[in-house]
Amino acid sequence: MKHRIFFGKSTSRIILALLIALPINVLAAGGWSYQQDRDRLTNQSYSYARSPLPSSAQYELIRLEVACKENKLQFVVDSNSLIASQGRSFDVEYQVDKKPPVTISMKTFADSKRRGYTEEHAREIIDDILSGQSIFIRVNTMIKQVLTAAITLEGAGQPIQQVFADCGIGLSDKIEDGAAYSWAEFEQDFKKLSSAQQQEVLGKIRKIMLEMR
């Protein structure tokens, strides 16, 4: 015999209040979430937007994070597998939607062999994330193993905006550190352009070079 449970108005209001009071990252299980934590080494608080795990079992258990630490943006790769020794560099390739793939160098944290970050390339990666629907990432580890993951970017905008707000950055702001535009940065930006856009840029550069003679 089946028993039905009936809730009175008071009980229903209590349940509704509890659901509303749940943290954002709990209600958004399976999607991008905004979280706050403390650094284990410095004990300083920081915030980050965290991606869900890949939905397919064919990929490794990798999460992506966009963090604000000490008022600096970081792009973080968090893996269940070994990447490199603490504080060591490793290569990462990523592709947002059908845009050209991009290769960057990242570094593991001083206290982890499975988590790596970049501050230098953080903003360009975040801009790519905000403009896409999905990201495919390939991590090249120190033992020549390749870790891959395909992660949805749906719902990433709001958590990332909260991280930007914590860092005092607007979505349209660009980080200016006074550093010159490097050749490596130019090559990375140039590869993201279409063939027509590349020809347009080369035409403008040629014109500038002729004027400087």
Side-chain angles (χ1 to χ4, degrees), residues 42-73:
T42 65
N43 200 36
Q44 292 184 336
S45 60
Y46 67 98
S47 62
Y48 58 96
R50 170 179 279 182
S51 78
L53 290 168
S55 57
S56 175
Q58 66 178 310
Y59 296 119
E60 276 75 30
L61 297 178
I62 293 176
R63 289 186 189 272
L64 306 180
E65 295 176 4
V66 173
C68 176
K69 281 189 175 183
E70 300 179 357
N71 291 320
K72 293 181 180 179
L73 283 177

Side-chain angles (χ1 to χ4, degrees), residues 48-140:
Y48 58 96
R50 170 179 279 182
S51 78
L53 290 168
S55 57
S56 175
Q58 66 178 310
Y59 296 119
E60 276 75 30
L61 297 178
I62 293 176
R63 289 186 189 272
L64 306 180
E65 295 176 4
V66 173
C68 176
K69 281 189 175 183
E70 300 179 357
N71 291 320
K72 293 181 180 179
L73 283 177
Q74 290 182 349
F75 174 73
V76 179
V77 172
D78 187 354
S79 171
N80 273 18
S81 301
L82 174 70
I83 296 177
S85 299
Q86 298 96 322
R88 298 294 296 272
S89 298
F90 62 96
D91 290 331
V92 171
E93 301 164 77
Y94 75 90
Q95 182 179 28
V96 174
D97 297 340
K98 295 183 179 180
K99 294 180 181 179
V102 179
T103 301
I104 60 169
S105 178
M106 299 181 67
K107 185 170 68 173
T108 49
F109 286 97
D111 62 342
S112 177
K113 298 180 180 180
R114 292 174 170 81
R115 285 171 54 84
Y117 74 100
T118 177
E119 292 179 352
E120 179 184 0
H121 304 292
R123 185 57 196 262
E124 65 188 70
I125 301 171
I126 296 168
D127 287 343
D128 285 342
I129 287 174
L130 291 172
S131 68
Q133 299 298 315
S134 65
I135 183 172
F136 177 79
I137 189 163
R138 181 183 291 116
V139 179
N140 299 288

Side-chain angles (χ1 to χ4, degrees), residues 3 11-12 33 35 41 62 88 102 113 116 120 127 135 137 151-153 158 164 166-168 206:
H3 296 279
T11 305
S12 299
S33 62
Q35 301 185 41
L41 292 178
I62 293 176
R88 298 294 296 272
V102 179
K113 298 180 180 180
E120 179 184 0
D127 287 343
I135 183 172
I137 189 163
I151 297 173
T152 179
L153 300 177
Q158 185 174 348
F164 274 22
D166 294 340
C167 268
R206 184 174 185 272

Side-chain angles (χ1 to χ4, degrees), residues 14-26:
I14 293 172
I15 293 173
L16 179 61
L18 288 172
L19 288 173
I20 293 173
L22 283 173
I24 293 175
N25 58 313
V26 174

Side-chain angles (χ1 to χ4, degrees), residues 151-187:
I151 297 173
T152 179
L153 300 177
E154 184 179 356
Q158 185 174 348
I160 290 176
Q161 286 183 45
Q162 289 180 270
V163 174
F164 274 22
D166 294 340
C167 268
I169 301 171
L171 285 178
S172 61
D173 294 342
K174 291 295 182 181
I175 299 173
E176 299 291 345
D177 57 7
Y181 191 42
S182 69
W183 179 255
E185 290 174 320
F186 170 78
E187 284 187 316

